[in-house]
Amino acid sequence: MRARSDARREGGLEVQAVYSVGALARAANVTPDLLRRLLRANRVTLLRVGRAIFVPLSEIETRIPPLWESIKAAEMLRRETA
């Protein structure tokens, strides 16, 4: 089985349409279970594809503004250093 491309990235998240729960958890430095509970508590729609669980960017933007702001800030830093 191959790892997803977002699972191999180090040092933050790039802006993309969906994120795996695992990638978001690593970026937030929490366990995937804790992040899933937080996402469900904020009524975020989760997408299940096989065993993987994904979070749409639009859900993050509307329901968890602090996480959205941190993703935007990380993307701006990534562009400045590239």
Side-chain angles (χ1 to χ4, degrees):
M1 182 182 333
R2 263 179 55 183
R4 291 181 306 276
S5 62
D6 64 349
R8 287 177 273 181
R9 253 183 231 117
E10 295 291 327
L13 296 169
E14 293 182 16
V15 174
Q16 52 191 41
V18 294
Y19 296 95
S20 68
V21 169
L24 283 175
R26 277 187 298 283
N29 200 26
V30 297
T31 65
D33 289 333
L34 174 61
L35 182 65
R36 265 193 301 275
R37 285 193 303 269
L38 291 170
L39 292 171
R40 287 186 180 128
N42 284 296
R43 303 175 110 173
V44 172
T45 301
L46 301 176
L47 306 173
R48 181 177 288 275
V49 179
R51 290 178 47 193
I53 300 173
F54 295 95
V55 183
L57 180 62
S58 59
E59 287 288 305
I60 294 170
E61 185 177 4
T62 57
R63 299 189 190 270
I64 311 172
L67 180 56
W68 167 240
E69 292 301 321
S70 69
I71 291 170
K72 285 192 327 189
E75 179 67 11
M76 287 179 17
L77 283 174
R78 188 186 67 79
R79 287 183 184 196
E80 288 175 5
T81 60

